Amino acid sequence: MTSAVGEFWDASALRVGVETNGLQGGDAGHGGWAEVQVRFLTGDSFETPDGGHTEEILIKVSGDSEISTLAAALEWAGAQLKELAGARSVPVQQPSD
């Protein structure tokens, strides 16, 4: 299992963690999984589908294709958001804990 954590600071701040046991050679039955956890550090919140709010979201997938597809989709989403909303450099800091 491998993991990485990054913090992104601006007027708001996010901690993003990624953890996976890597590609395992097939679908979920082969045991491969990955998760992405995103948490606001500044009191901001994400809106939930039911209209509520939460400071943290977790995306977890199982299977090689699902891991690869999630990685590609998140990369695409980040690029699109920068293009559509206007890119601005935000420094990355590694957490001290």
Side-chain angles (χ1 to χ4, degrees):
M1 179 172 49
T2 58
S3 64
V5 176
E7 289 186 358
F8 303 84
W9 291 84
D10 197 342
S12 64
L14 290 173
R15 176 178 289 156
V16 180
V18 178
E19 191 169 18
T20 184
N21 67 346
L23 303 180
Q24 301 294 314
D27 63 12
H30 286 84
W33 60 270
E35 66 180 43
V36 177
Q37 184 178 39
V38 183
R39 179 174 184 77
F40 271 110
L41 302 175
T42 50
D44 300 301
S45 63
F46 299 100
E47 188 173 331
T48 60
D50 63 0
H53 291 85
T54 183
E55 293 180 350
E56 186 173 339
I57 57 172
L58 174 69
I59 302 170
K60 186 168 185 175
V61 297
S62 298
D64 289 4
S65 174
E66 291 80 359
I67 294 169
S68 296
T69 302
L70 177 61
L74 292 173
E75 186 174 14
W76 176 87
Q80 292 301 309
L81 189 55
K82 284 181 179 180
E83 183 178 326
L84 297 171
R88 179 165 92 175
S89 177
V90 177
V92 177
Q93 295 178 326
Q94 291 301 318
S96 57
D97 38 64

